[in-house]
Every structure is written in structure tokens, then in C-alpha cells.
Amino acid sequence: MSFTTIEVASGGPVARSTLNRPDRLNAFSPAMLRGLGEALQRLSGDPEVGAVVITGAGRGFCAGQDLNDPGMAAGADGKPDIAAVIEKNYRPLALRIQSMPVPVVCAVNGVAAGAGANLAFCCDIALAARSASFIQAFAKIGLIPDCGGTWLLPRLVGRPRALALALTGDKLSAADAERFGMVWQVVDDAELPSHAQALADRLAAMPSKALVATRQALDASQALTLSDALTLEARMQGELGRAHDFAEGVAAFQQKRAAVFKDR
Ligand code: T3D
């Protein structure tokens, strides 16, 4: 796959999408937003792909919306039409990641600001380099968190921390992001690519359908009563119990061999 501002490496069970505008700290241009969406769409239809890694080129992960993009001021009344940008670009991106048929690992290699930070939090598991940082930069330019930030932040860290992060726009270190539960692990900078690859390799060898159903059930549970969550668990578990991967997983356990999963 070839996109000007997204590098996609696929061909095995793990595909890697790299945001590639390093001189702009990988700030989102329209082409990069489009390219990432298209890359994820194509990878989601590739039966060889069992996990996706999203990372950034250079010293930054993603500095959010490109604030120099001329498209920012392209509203019909001459004023920026940010609602249109969100509906056209950020909504589909957040929903695409949340509905990928395989796990998505984010390897946050440097600063993640604005929509760049919330892109990382949309992913299933976020790893961060020790030198990485997270900034809800929106308030500093008169905006609210977007790319799912208002939904994700309170769920990740609770209302008091979510509000403090969003209102101050203060930079949060990778270590504090790990302490707050916003990222799964912080690793030394040099180890981030191999660590992300190893995690993605592991996930790609696991039963994709069950992993994705787990994501769906956890996300859905936020709006459910315990009773309704138990009903949903029973329904989803019922479906998984009739699928190939459950039979294969149990057979592999009994025969003391590695399981070969295939359900999508
Ligand atoms: O359409 C819409 O607006 C709606 C969507 C909104 C979603 C959003 O994401 S809003 C939030 C947008 N992002 C920001 O406000 C962050 C702006 N950037 C920064 O605050 C800082 O650059 C960082 C804290 C991220 C990093 O600081 P530092 O000191 O490490 O690097 P730097 O020198 O500021 O940046 C390096 C270069 O990248 C620099 O260019 P130069 O001077 O070398 O030519 C800088 O201008 C450029 N850059 C960084 N962020 C952006 C950017 N260029 C365009 N847009 C950016 N967001």
C-alpha cells in the first residue's frame, strides 16, 4: 500500500501503519487523515492481518490537527468549519479503530498532542516510549477534546483527572500516563518498536474474533446495568462457544499443543 504521509508495512500477521510527516511532528494533514483511514480499511479486509500497530516517524507521535492547514479556514461563511472536519475525518477514524476486526496496538514514540493523543487512546493497547508525552492541547486554542477525547478520557482516568488534563492542557509524561492507566506500559525508547512488534505478534496468534468481542463487550458495558451486561455476555459467549476457535482452543489444551485460530 502506498500513501504519501502514511507508511504501511504488511505481508505477515502484523501490519504497521506509520504516521509519516516527521518535520511537522506527524500533525494531521487532510491527506494523512484520509490515508490512515484508507490504510486501516484495507488492513481490516486482509485475512492475513491479525494485529495492527500504529506509530509515528521521527521524534513525535502526532501533534494533532495541522494548525497550518489552509483547509482549516474553508467554511462557507469564511470561518473554520471544524464540525465538518470532525464529521468527515475524525469521527470515521475513531470509529474505524474501535471497530477493527483485529487488535490495534499504539506505539507512542514521542509527543502525542490534541487529536494525536486521543488517537492513541482509541487503540486497544497503548505502549509509550519513556520520552513520550501526552497533551490535551485543545483548551490552549479555544477548543474541546475531540477524536473521542470527551468519551475516552473520563473512562480512562475518571472525571477529576480528565477535567484537569483537558482544562490545563498540561503535558503529561509517559510515566504519569502509565500511572494514571492511560497507557499499558512504558518502555525504553530504543525498545518500543520491538516491544510493540512482540505484543502484536502475540495478539495476532490469538483468537481474533474473541479478542474483538471482548473489546465490544467492554465498551458496551459502560452504558449497561450489570443484569444487561450479563445478558450480553451470555449472548456473545453463546456465539463464540459455537465457533471454530473455542473448539480448537479446548482441543489444543487437551492435546498439549499450540492452537491454530481462524475465526474472524
Ligand atoms: O480542524 C480542526 O482544527 C479540528 C481538529 C482539532 C484537533 C486537534 O488536534 S486541535 C490540537 C492541535 N494541536 C496542537 O495544538 C499542538 C500544537 N503543537 C505544540 O503544542 C507543540 O508543537 C508540541 C507540544 C506538540 C511539541 O513541541 P516541541 O517544542 O517539541 O516542537 P515544536 O518546535 O513546537 O514543533 C516542531 C515543528 O512541528 C514546528 O515547526 P517548525 O517551527 O520547525 O517549522 C511546529 O510548528 C510543527 N508543529 C507542531 N505541531 C503542529 C505543527 N505544525 C502544524 N500543526 C501542528 N499541530
Side-chain angles (χ1 to χ4, degrees):
M1 275 177 234
S2 143
F3 303 96
T4 49
T5 51
I6 300 285
E7 251 176 37
V8 182
S10 58
V14 173
R16 182 178 295 259
S17 292
T18 304
L19 312 178
N20 193 23
R21 298 182 76 216
D23 56 325
R24 302 285 94 187
L25 300 182
N26 305 316
F28 275 122
S29 63
M32 199 174 92
L33 272 165
R34 226 178 14 256
L36 182 58
E38 282 175 23
L40 293 174
Q41 185 179 5
R42 289 195 212 170
L43 293 175
S44 72
D46 183 341
E48 296 299 310
V49 172
V52 173
V53 176
I54 298 178
T55 193
R59 76 176 175 90
F61 170 66
C62 176
Q65 173 73 26
D66 187 326
L67 298 177
N68 297 325
D69 174 44
M72 283 262 295
D77 58 0
K79 294 187 177 169
D81 188 355
I82 301 183
V85 175
I86 289 175
E87 291 296 342
K88 185 169 169 209
N89 297 317
Y90 289 104
R91 168 199 284 273
L93 180 60
L95 294 179
R96 164 75 54 200
I97 293 171
Q98 206 206 20
S99 61
M100 286 292 283
V102 296
V104 182
V105 172
C106 192
V108 184
N109 53 297
V111 65
N118 296 335
L119 164 69
F121 302 141
C122 281
C123 298
D124 295 319
I125 301 183
L127 303 174
R130 209 166 292 288
S131 69
S133 54
F134 298 85
I135 310 173
Q136 292 296 318
F138 307 90
K140 293 179 180 173
I141 54 169
L143 297 179
I144 62 168
D146 63 17
C147 196
T150 59
W151 192 89
L152 293 159
L153 285 173
R155 283 168 171 77
L156 284 170
V157 298
R159 185 176 185 272
R161 280 176 169 159
L163 267 175
L165 289 168
L167 297 187
T168 64
D170 281 352
K171 181 185 278 195
L172 193 71
S173 68
D176 281 343
E178 184 186 44
R179 188 166 60 84
F180 284 7
M182 300 165 89
V183 300
W184 174 237
Q185 277 175 333
V186 174
V187 301
D188 289 339
D189 289 22
E191 288 174 16
L192 182 68
S194 59
H195 206 82
Q197 180 71 36
L199 175 60
D201 280 337
R202 271 179 57 200
L203 293 168
M206 292 175 70
S208 304
K209 194 178 165 101
L211 300 191
V212 167
T214 302
R215 176 211 291 146
Q216 289 167 343
L218 287 178
D219 286 345
S221 76
Q222 305 290 331
L224 298 180
T225 62
L226 173 60
S227 175
D228 288 343
L230 288 162
T231 302
L232 180 64
E233 284 176 9
R235 182 175 66 68
M236 293 176 102
Q237 208 73 304
E239 283 171 22
L240 291 167
R242 285 189 293 278
H244 165 273
D245 284 354
F246 175 60
E248 167 63 6
V250 173
F253 172 78
Q254 290 168 343
Q255 295 158 18
K256 300 187 189 304
R257 61 170 174 82
V260 182
F261 297 113
K262 66 174 194 191
D263 288 333
R264 288 293 283 268

